[in-house]
Amino acid sequence: MSCQGGALEGNKRSQPGPTSLQETEVARPEEAHCPALLENQLSVSDFVKIQRAFEPREPSQTICMSREEFMQRMAEIVGWGTEEEYGELFDKVDVAQDGFINWDKLTSFMLLILYEKDEQEKATVVPQWKDLEFLPVKHKDTIQKVIFLKNSSRYLTISKEGLLGIWRENLKLQETLPITSDATKLKHLWVTSLVSLENVNKIAVAFTSKEICFYDLLSKEEFPCQYKLQGLKGTPLCMDYWYDPLDANESILSFGDITGKVQALAFTAALISLFEHPVCAHEDAEATVTINWAELLSGSQKCCYILEHKLHHGDWVRQVTYNASLDAIISSTTSNTNTMVLAWREKSKKHLKVTSFNIAQGIHAFDYHSRLNLIATAGINNKVCLWNPYVVSKPVGVLWGHSASVIAVQFFAARKQLFSFSSDKVLRLWDIQHQLSIQRIACSFPRSQDFRCLFHFDEAHGRLFISFNNQLAMLAMKSEASKRVKSHKTSVTCVLYNAVSRQVISSDVGSTVSFWMIDTGQKIKQFTGCHGNAVINTMALDANETRLLTGSTDGTVKVWDFSGYCHHILYVGQEGAVDISQILVLKKTILVTGWERTITVFRPQNFNQFLIQPEKWKGGAQHSDDILCAAFLPPQTLVTGSCDGEIVLWNNSTENAHYVLHPDYQRLLKSKSDTEPQKLLSAGRSHSTHPLANQAAPGACSFRTDTECTNAVRRLCFLEARKNMAVTGGTNLVSCGGSGYVRFWDTFKKQLLAEFLAHSGGGSIIMSTDKSNRYLATGDLDGWLKIWNIEEYCLNSSESKIIQAPPLIRSLQPHEDQISSLEICEPGGHLLIISSSADCSICVTDISSAPVWIFGQTKHWQIEKFSLPKRDTNLMESDIGEESIREIPLLSKEEYHLDPLEHPLLDKKNKDDSTYNKVRLSEVINLGMKYKERNVYKKKTNNFYNGEVTQKSSSVFRSLRIGALKELPEVNKPAFLLTPEKYFREEPEEEGPQISELPSLSETLKATFDEKNLFPKELLDRERKAKQLCQETSSEVKIKRNKKLL
């Protein structure tokens, strides 16, 4: 049951009062975080009782109730709910603050709630769109096709002149490449269509030269043509590709040409080879294999066979597609006869059985919905018709509304809706069930009268592409106005916890920074446009937690105070936008990583200007791929992790690297020129030199899948609470990233001690740990959060690698999208996990079973009222030694033991030591059986009941018998307290000694006070001029006054 349930919904209860909601870990958090408001729980029978209380004895009268009366009577009449809840309901109804309400006011309020709920539900049905956006294309001619490659998360656009545009998933143009054939010397060679062969990582391009070329996406070169199908009888105008997801060897490439033929290539061993190589073919694997259409017709190819029909009789085939649920090839033309043809495929025979639809004036396009079993056609006669594929006589529905020819249709399959676009540039969205137009969009499209339009809806990303000749426009759907609470308007990128102010700081892709109270979840302030329109990727706090550093895609890191003033701008991207992944603030340096193979360094002692340029990192480039993260262990150990899975160990003082760690090998760095990996463990590594999927690759574009980035290091974390690891051995470094693995390293012995699969599914993960290093939190791309107990994990070194995972304490899914940042904090002794996500929310929960709360929800929480386990203070005496009590540093969290120096980045005046508490003792919140057994044992050995003697004791004084203390006899007060007047008398007050006068200021001054030496000359001159002006004006006023008197 959702907390936004209808207020008037029928409610059959066995007892009065709302039913209690049970939290489930798999359930979405909005069911637990939204407040259970009283008006949302009242049933129809409850309202009947309330109505009777407002019924007057005479119809002319009106019953009004004050707040106190309403609270008392409603709690009695309804039979459940507290008086405070009814008081809150009264305040909501009494908007005018008249001090009373009647039945009309109450019903008006409830109707308004239902209206808002209905509007919210409509908003989830009808998509809301962002402003129309024109993409920066480089095409010079008409755009023929837009497709999305799922394997590499790329968009491809191709235009008539043969220019292929490669776009990232965020629609940033990555590269443009010319796609040509041998006939490029011909002046009028055009590209007519493009399809993606996802199962074999290829694309097929059709040309007006009556050729279809197949290009390999996984080749190291720039799109080599692997196969060329030539000798076609007509120019192919449209193509479609389908493959069986259960057997990727089975696939069909269908195409229609200008002669009216519909032909299909049915591949039987696509994963092995699309075509057989001719005997005379070159041995070079990169050479193009030429396939003649006549050879395919003769049946000489064993890897494929041909299906075709000629029912369109010379009309240009405008669209063709193969549908697996119908097992038929659907094609269409603009002719009146045989407008749409369904060619049913018979597997026993290699020919097609055709069925034709005759549609008046023809159609431009069609689309098929497999669940509804409907074909929608875009009619030239301004109609959108819905057809049953087995009924050719008449359509089952006609959608009226367009005033011009309909040129494109496409189903919104998930919502059972239909898009249609007409030549007058009007977009409509139809409800198929009711056959009604539920949305009309008339955007500011180009005003050209003669245009070639392409229509493509990417349902997975909610993007609608419409091209006008060589222009490409996009309409993006807004995120649905669901019942889920949102902390930000856009995706949240980073979250931090400020222990000094007990605040949570969050940033988003809209360049907004928000501040929240951890105790209540209330937003206290917000900074907008921190980096203009650029995305804030990451943030960091200085050691004193009085300055905030934000890193953005605009290539800058800004240093802010908490009043919103920017003190410094650090330029990290000298040649344009960069992707900053981490900012690491140390005592003498600020390190920035994320977009190149070297570390970008700033030295705060040189911060004497507003604009700061980076300085040279002495160690140079030791990574072969982009550095994604870094971590520091005092006194001088720095580690950096890159996309290829390498972890480089540095000496932060000398800035020199000395070792490389990798899951498959380790190597010693003797010098800067030592770049060849010395494989010590295995040679099973595939080198990856291409950037991340969201980075532009220089040179040729690579469409390799993420399999080569399975070892990418996204987060690094030192376990600082583990002391003496250099002597005892064990893990002191944790890494995570690609493919969902968490790895534990010993940086002293340069060894991988353990690795385990934290999240299945192959996606990248992030992590965070508490200060005591007892708990590890991991988050994945699907919004799942897992909490692990690593207190006793990998404490000792071993020769064999551990693959068993540590105890899993809790697993839940607080988010609907990927978790972008994790933070573990301890306000008031409660151990909390804060997570941010791309679903625009920030959640907080604990390590055990507390509900998930969202920052920004209507009802604020109280941390003190959380049923959270507090930290265990029953520690051994040795645990509370000098090592566990240390002062908060002034300059660096990581280098707290070093001598503090004055930091220009921070405040000039250091805070008083009294403002910092001692570091709290670590939590002991084990939920395993071992912990429970230990608690039971403690309870048995520490219970002291009335007069009961403990028989067993774990101490060395177990022979002593310890009983209850005897009660002390009652003690009478002494006489001088009962009758003080007999023993004490008041003596006259004596005059105190005379306080001598203080010497004058002139006598104590060592030098003559000179105002000129105290203030700048500019201020003194300005003050002197102001005094002179004041004297002149006052004299003029006096003169005028005297004249008036005369």
Side-chain angles (χ1 to χ4, degrees), residues 240 242-245 252 321-330 344-345 347 368 370 390:
D240 179 72
W242 167 89
Y243 71 92
D244 189 351
I252 295 178
T321 183
Y322 172 78
N323 187 269
S325 60
L326 293 176
D327 199 11
I329 301 173
I330 311 174
W344 310 91
R345 181 185 173 199
K347 293 184 179 180
Y368 175 72
S370 57
Y390 302 99

Short mmCIF file of all heavy atoms in Angstrom, two decimals, residues 240 242-245 252 321-330 344-345 347 368 370 390:
data_model
loop_
_atom_site.label_atom_id
_atom_site.label_comp_id
_atom_site.label_asym_id
_atom_site.label_seq_id
_atom_site.Cartn_x
_atom_site.Cartn_y
_atom_site.Cartn_z
N ASP A 240 16.00 -3.66 -42.79
CA ASP A 240 15.67 -4.01 -41.41
C ASP A 240 16.44 -5.29 -41.06
O ASP A 240 16.68 -6.14 -41.93
CB ASP A 240 14.17 -4.23 -41.25
CG ASP A 240 13.80 -4.63 -39.83
OD1 ASP A 240 13.87 -3.78 -38.93
OD2 ASP A 240 13.47 -5.82 -39.62
N TRP A 242 16.86 -8.42 -37.97
CA TRP A 242 16.34 -9.10 -36.79
C TRP A 242 17.20 -10.33 -36.53
O TRP A 242 17.68 -10.96 -37.47
CB TRP A 242 14.89 -9.53 -37.01
CG TRP A 242 14.38 -10.50 -35.97
CD1 TRP A 242 13.78 -10.20 -34.80
CD2 TRP A 242 14.44 -11.93 -36.02
NE1 TRP A 242 13.47 -11.33 -34.09
CE2 TRP A 242 13.87 -12.43 -34.83
CE3 TRP A 242 14.94 -12.85 -36.96
CZ2 TRP A 242 13.78 -13.79 -34.55
CZ3 TRP A 242 14.86 -14.21 -36.67
CH2 TRP A 242 14.27 -14.66 -35.48
N TYR A 243 17.40 -10.65 -35.23
CA TYR A 243 18.07 -11.89 -34.89
C TYR A 243 17.35 -12.52 -33.69
O TYR A 243 16.71 -11.83 -32.88
CB TYR A 243 19.55 -11.67 -34.58
CG TYR A 243 19.83 -10.95 -33.29
CD1 TYR A 243 20.05 -11.65 -32.10
CD2 TYR A 243 19.89 -9.55 -33.25
CE1 TYR A 243 20.31 -10.99 -30.91
CE2 TYR A 243 20.16 -8.89 -32.07
CZ TYR A 243 20.36 -9.61 -30.91
OH TYR A 243 20.62 -8.96 -29.73
N ASP A 244 17.45 -13.83 -33.62
CA ASP A 244 16.78 -14.58 -32.57
C ASP A 244 17.58 -14.42 -31.27
O ASP A 244 18.74 -14.83 -31.20
CB ASP A 244 16.68 -16.05 -32.96
CG ASP A 244 15.81 -16.85 -32.00
OD1 ASP A 244 15.41 -16.29 -30.96
OD2 ASP A 244 15.52 -18.02 -32.30
N PRO A 245 17.00 -13.84 -30.22
CA PRO A 245 17.77 -13.68 -28.97
C PRO A 245 18.12 -15.01 -28.31
O PRO A 245 19.08 -15.07 -27.55
CB PRO A 245 16.83 -12.85 -28.09
CG PRO A 245 15.47 -13.07 -28.66
CD PRO A 245 15.64 -13.29 -30.11
N ILE A 252 17.79 -12.38 -39.85
CA ILE A 252 17.20 -12.04 -41.15
C ILE A 252 17.48 -10.58 -41.46
O ILE A 252 17.19 -9.69 -40.64
CB ILE A 252 15.68 -12.29 -41.16
CG1 ILE A 252 15.38 -13.78 -40.99
CG2 ILE A 252 15.05 -11.76 -42.43
CD1 ILE A 252 13.90 -14.10 -40.94
N THR A 321 10.09 -4.44 -42.63
CA THR A 321 10.53 -4.95 -41.33
C THR A 321 10.09 -6.40 -41.20
O THR A 321 9.07 -6.82 -41.78
CB THR A 321 9.95 -4.11 -40.17
OG1 THR A 321 10.47 -4.60 -38.94
CG2 THR A 321 8.45 -4.21 -40.14
N TYR A 322 10.87 -7.17 -40.46
CA TYR A 322 10.51 -8.55 -40.15
C TYR A 322 10.08 -8.61 -38.70
O TYR A 322 10.76 -8.09 -37.80
CB TYR A 322 11.67 -9.51 -40.37
CG TYR A 322 11.39 -10.92 -39.87
CD1 TYR A 322 10.60 -11.79 -40.62
CD2 TYR A 322 11.89 -11.35 -38.65
CE1 TYR A 322 10.33 -13.07 -40.15
CE2 TYR A 322 11.63 -12.62 -38.18
CZ TYR A 322 10.84 -13.47 -38.93
OH TYR A 322 10.55 -14.73 -38.47
N ASN A 323 8.90 -9.23 -38.44
CA ASN A 323 8.40 -9.36 -37.09
C ASN A 323 8.37 -10.83 -36.71
O ASN A 323 7.77 -11.65 -37.41
CB ASN A 323 7.00 -8.74 -36.97
CG ASN A 323 6.52 -8.71 -35.55
OD1 ASN A 323 5.87 -9.64 -35.09
ND2 ASN A 323 6.84 -7.64 -34.84
N ALA A 324 9.01 -11.14 -35.58
CA ALA A 324 9.14 -12.54 -35.18
C ALA A 324 7.84 -13.11 -34.65
O ALA A 324 7.56 -14.30 -34.85
CB ALA A 324 10.23 -12.66 -34.12
N SER A 325 7.03 -12.29 -33.97
CA SER A 325 5.78 -12.82 -33.42
C SER A 325 4.81 -13.21 -34.53
O SER A 325 4.04 -14.17 -34.39
CB SER A 325 5.14 -11.79 -32.49
OG SER A 325 4.86 -10.59 -33.19
N LEU A 326 4.82 -12.48 -35.64
CA LEU A 326 4.00 -12.85 -36.80
C LEU A 326 4.72 -13.81 -37.72
O LEU A 326 4.08 -14.49 -38.54
CB LEU A 326 3.61 -11.60 -37.59
CG LEU A 326 2.66 -10.59 -36.92
CD1 LEU A 326 2.47 -9.38 -37.81
CD2 LEU A 326 1.33 -11.24 -36.60
N ASP A 327 6.05 -13.86 -37.60
CA ASP A 327 6.89 -14.61 -38.52
C ASP A 327 6.60 -14.19 -39.95
O ASP A 327 6.41 -15.01 -40.86
CB ASP A 327 6.69 -16.12 -38.35
CG ASP A 327 7.86 -16.92 -38.94
OD1 ASP A 327 8.89 -16.29 -39.26
OD2 ASP A 327 7.74 -18.15 -39.07
N ALA A 328 6.59 -12.85 -40.13
CA ALA A 328 6.23 -12.30 -41.44
C ALA A 328 7.06 -11.05 -41.70
O ALA A 328 7.49 -10.36 -40.77
CB ALA A 328 4.75 -11.97 -41.50
N ILE A 329 7.24 -10.77 -42.99
CA ILE A 329 7.91 -9.56 -43.43
C ILE A 329 6.83 -8.58 -43.86
O ILE A 329 6.01 -8.87 -44.74
CB ILE A 329 8.87 -9.84 -44.60
CG1 ILE A 329 9.92 -10.87 -44.18
CG2 ILE A 329 9.55 -8.56 -45.06
CD1 ILE A 329 10.81 -11.33 -45.33
N ILE A 330 6.82 -7.40 -43.22
CA ILE A 330 5.82 -6.37 -43.52
C ILE A 330 6.49 -5.29 -44.35
O ILE A 330 7.59 -4.83 -44.03
CB ILE A 330 5.25 -5.78 -42.23
CG1 ILE A 330 4.81 -6.88 -41.25
CG2 ILE A 330 4.08 -4.86 -42.52
CD1 ILE A 330 4.37 -6.35 -39.91
N TRP A 344 4.16 -13.95 -45.17
CA TRP A 344 4.30 -14.94 -44.11
C TRP A 344 5.39 -15.93 -44.48
O TRP A 344 5.42 -16.47 -45.59
CB TRP A 344 2.98 -15.66 -43.86
CG TRP A 344 1.82 -14.72 -43.69
CD1 TRP A 344 1.00 -14.25 -44.67
CD2 TRP A 344 1.38 -14.12 -42.48
NE1 TRP A 344 0.07 -13.40 -44.18
CE2 TRP A 344 0.27 -13.30 -42.80
CE3 TRP A 344 1.79 -14.19 -41.15
CZ2 TRP A 344 -0.42 -12.57 -41.86
CZ3 TRP A 344 1.11 -13.46 -40.22
CH2 TRP A 344 0.02 -12.66 -40.56
N ARG A 345 6.25 -16.18 -43.55
CA ARG A 345 7.38 -17.05 -43.81
C ARG A 345 7.01 -18.48 -43.43
O ARG A 345 6.55 -18.76 -42.32
CB ARG A 345 8.58 -16.58 -42.98
CG ARG A 345 9.83 -17.38 -43.16
CD ARG A 345 10.88 -16.87 -42.20
NE ARG A 345 12.07 -17.71 -42.21
CZ ARG A 345 12.97 -17.73 -41.24
NH1 ARG A 345 12.80 -16.96 -40.18
NH2 ARG A 345 14.03 -18.50 -41.31
N LYS A 347 8.65 -22.01 -42.85
CA LYS A 347 9.98 -22.55 -42.61
C LYS A 347 10.24 -23.83 -43.40
O LYS A 347 11.36 -24.13 -43.76
CB LYS A 347 10.17 -22.81 -41.12
CG LYS A 347 10.19 -21.53 -40.29
CD LYS A 347 10.49 -21.83 -38.83
CE LYS A 347 10.53 -20.54 -38.02
NZ LYS A 347 10.82 -20.79 -36.59
N TYR A 368 4.23 -1.94 -35.83
CA TYR A 368 3.47 -3.09 -35.31
C TYR A 368 3.70 -3.22 -33.82
O TYR A 368 4.84 -3.11 -33.34
CB TYR A 368 3.90 -4.37 -36.03
CG TYR A 368 3.24 -5.63 -35.46
CD1 TYR A 368 1.90 -5.89 -35.69
CD2 TYR A 368 3.99 -6.54 -34.71
CE1 TYR A 368 1.30 -7.04 -35.17
CE2 TYR A 368 3.40 -7.68 -34.19
CZ TYR A 368 2.05 -7.92 -34.42
OH TYR A 368 1.46 -9.04 -33.90
N SER A 370 3.31 -5.91 -30.91
CA SER A 370 3.12 -7.35 -30.79
C SER A 370 2.13 -7.71 -29.68
O SER A 370 1.36 -8.66 -29.81
CB SER A 370 4.46 -8.03 -30.53
OG SER A 370 5.08 -7.49 -29.38
N TYR A 390 -4.64 -10.01 -39.46
CA TYR A 390 -5.38 -11.10 -40.09
C TYR A 390 -6.67 -10.65 -40.74
O TYR A 390 -7.39 -11.47 -41.31
CB TYR A 390 -5.68 -12.18 -39.04
CG TYR A 390 -4.44 -12.74 -38.37
CD1 TYR A 390 -4.04 -12.28 -37.12
CD2 TYR A 390 -3.65 -13.69 -39.01
CE1 TYR A 390 -2.90 -12.78 -36.51
CE2 TYR A 390 -2.51 -14.19 -38.41
CZ TYR A 390 -2.14 -13.74 -37.15
OH TYR A 390 -1.00 -14.23 -36.55
#
